[in-house]
Amino acid sequence: MTPAHLWTLTDGHAGNVRQADALARALGMPAQAWTLQPRAPWKALAPRRLPGAARAFGPGFAQALAAPPRLAIGCGRQAALATRLLRARGAQAVQILDPRLAPKHWDLVIAPAHDGLRAANVLTLLGSLHPVDAVWLAQARAAFPALGALPGPRTALLIGGPSAHARLDLDDLATIFATLDAALHAHGGTVMATVSRRTPPALVEAVRRRYAGAPHRVWTGAQDGPNPYAGLLAFADRIVCTADSVNMLSEACATSAPVFVHAPQRVAGRPARFLAALEARGRIAALDEGLAPFPVTPLRETARIAALVRERLGVGNEA
């Protein structure tokens, strides 16, 4: 069997898988996906390539190294070791996210601008890689047509969870709910709410209680049916988002809807630089009772980064 031209390599974490898959999709190359299961001691020391590192991910991956792909795309620290190993065997290696090692060990490193990583082979972007574009949104509208029939204006409410850089608790949810209540009272409409894997149970239950009744829609887990997240983005007239997730904000900002962020001024660290850049572009606004619409240009960095990868490495759109 002819080996795939492209491998994606991640530790299986959803955010890493989504970024690697999004770049592969944008390049138009069929991909073989590897979910890495690192072993000690290499797991703790990745992406440093210590003696015996070819065994870091088990015998299956060690054997596969003998027939490397043309291009390897990794996301996350464990994948950074795998892409180094593949590059040593002739593959071109693209590493997504700062590998915490000199970028010279990869052909290209793709990192958020707010991380501050700079080198000749580093491609920076505002936010994260993701699949949200015009085609993806059209497919989402076709998959969830009932959402388009809900009374407008339709507000997609995206709830994440507390992080090292952003607080999120029941008091924050109460503030968000009160703001949406005021907008609904003034203009009518529907709230389409969803939570994430990181949302604490108490916050999940609060969202469920608040928007359980018609015409609102709420998704808090598999018990509510298929996850309509894509449909929420596709049919939203406006999006209200917590400030904790770069990935979630990047995807919201790839739509044509204005994005309102709860308490962006409270975010610390590198994500604060990301939010400041979005505000400077006029792509987000702080959440307030007015929820006044504003003109936006969808932020779609994945296509731009894919074009640069094609240009630098001479790959893409292969059968």
Side-chain angles (χ1 to χ4, degrees):
M1 179 181 295
T2 302
H5 290 302
L6 167 62
W7 291 359
T8 59
L9 305 110
T10 72
D11 55 8
H13 291 171
N16 290 341
V17 172
R18 195 162 178 85
Q19 293 206 64
D21 287 352
L23 181 56
R25 171 180 176 268
L27 289 171
M29 298 175 65
Q32 177 180 343
W34 284 86
T35 300
L36 303 170
Q37 297 179 337
R39 302 178 172 194
W42 303 282
K43 179 178 181 178
L45 298 171
R48 291 168 178 80
R49 202 176 70 189
L50 300 181
R55 302 191 301 274
F57 305 109
F61 187 78
Q63 293 173 8
L65 287 172
R70 178 178 179 185
L71 177 63
I73 296 175
C75 188
R77 186 169 59 86
Q78 298 301 328
L81 173 56
T83 49
R84 283 193 72 188
L85 293 171
L86 287 164
R87 187 176 189 237
R89 286 157 177 81
Q92 292 176 296
V94 175
Q95 182 59 33
I96 303 168
L97 301 180
D98 185 350
R100 308 298 180 187
L101 203 63
K104 67 181 181 181
H105 297 294
W106 295 267
D107 292 288
L108 292 174
V109 173
I110 300 169
H114 60 265
D115 278 357
L117 183 65
R118 300 291 186 271
N121 66 329
V122 172
L123 306 179
T124 61
L125 73 160
L126 183 54
S128 63
L129 298 169
H130 56 74
V132 182
D133 58 17
V135 172
W136 188 91
L137 291 167
Q139 292 171 341
R141 285 189 287 271
F144 297 96
L147 296 177
L150 296 175
R154 292 178 294 270
T155 303
L157 174 58
L158 312 181
I159 303 294
S163 72
H165 301 290
R167 187 189 82 199
L168 185 65
D169 56 26
L170 287 171
D171 287 340
D172 292 307
L173 278 194
T175 299
I176 294 171
F177 294 159
T179 303
L180 291 181
D181 286 349
L184 292 170
H185 179 75
H187 306 293
T190 307
V191 173
M192 309 179 297
T194 186
V195 299
S196 79
R197 296 174 183 83
R198 299 179 299 101
T199 310
L203 274 62
V204 172
E205 184 57 28
V207 174
R208 176 184 292 281
R209 288 198 309 267
R210 191 68 170 213
Y211 298 113
H216 308 302
R217 301 292 175 88
V218 61
W219 188 88
T220 58
Q223 70 277 3
D224 296 323
N227 188 342
Y229 170 76
L232 268 58
L233 294 186
F235 283 112
D237 297 305
R238 60 195 176 202
I239 298 173
V240 172
C241 194
T242 56
D244 50 277
S245 170
V246 170
N247 289 348
M248 188 165 65
L249 280 162
S250 297
E251 296 189 2
C253 288
T255 72
S256 297
V259 177
F260 298 90
V261 180
H262 169 64
Q265 73 281 358
R266 289 204 326 239
V267 177
R270 289 174 295 178
R273 297 199 290 271
F274 171 57
L275 288 169
L278 291 177
E279 287 185 294
R281 280 196 178 201
R283 188 59 193 87
I284 64 171
L287 180 64
D288 59 32
E289 291 187 4
L291 288 179
F294 54 90
V296 301
T297 299
L299 177 65
R300 295 176 183 167
E301 291 279 74
T302 304
R304 182 181 67 84
I305 292 296
L308 290 172
V309 172
R310 288 191 197 96
E311 178 185 323
R312 297 282 191 98
L313 302 184
V315 298
N317 297 319
E318 297 172 355

